[in-house]
Amino acid sequence: EKPLGKYGRMRKTYLKEHRPILYNQMLLNGTLWPHLQDVQRVASEQLERTIAALADKFPAPDKERAQLLWVAHMNGLKAQAEEVVVREIVYQ
C-alpha cells in the first residue's frame, strides 16, 4: 500500500476535526483507508485536469525566454486549481 498523499491527509484531518462521527464509523468498519486513498487519487487527477484546462485558457509565457515568468504563471495556475480541488473534493 502506498502512503497517503497531501489530499488524503487533508481529508483525514477534515474528517477527524469536522466529522468525528463519520470518521470513527469509517475507522471502525475499515473503510477509512480506502476512502482516503480514493480521495487522494481523485483529487490528484482533478488537479491535473484543472491545471491543463487553465493552461489552455491562459497560456504561459515562453519557457525558454522567460523562465521565472513561466514558473510564476504555472504556480498561479496550480494554486487556482488546488483551491477548486480542495473545496470540491477534500472539504465536501
Side-chain angles (χ1 to χ4, degrees), residues 13-83:
T13 302
Y14 170 77
L15 289 173
K16 242 182 190 178
E17 293 176 2
H18 300 282
R19 309 279 308 273
I21 294 171
L22 178 61
Y23 174 81
N24 286 325
Q25 286 175 341
M26 293 176 83
L27 186 63
L28 290 174
N29 66 20
T31 59
L32 180 63
W33 187 256
H35 171 74
L36 296 176
Q37 288 180 324
D38 190 46
V39 166
Q40 175 64 38
R41 181 186 53 77
V42 170
S44 297
E45 290 171 0
Q46 180 68 27
L47 182 69
E48 288 177 21
R49 284 194 303 271
T50 306
I51 289 173
L54 287 171
D56 287 343
K57 190 171 183 178
F58 305 105
D62 184 33
K63 187 177 180 180
E64 298 300 319
R65 287 191 274 156
Q67 289 179 351
L68 290 178
L69 288 176
W70 183 86
V71 169
H73 181 77
M74 294 308 287
N75 284 342
L77 294 182
K78 183 179 179 191
Q80 289 177 11
E82 207 165 54
E83 276 184 43

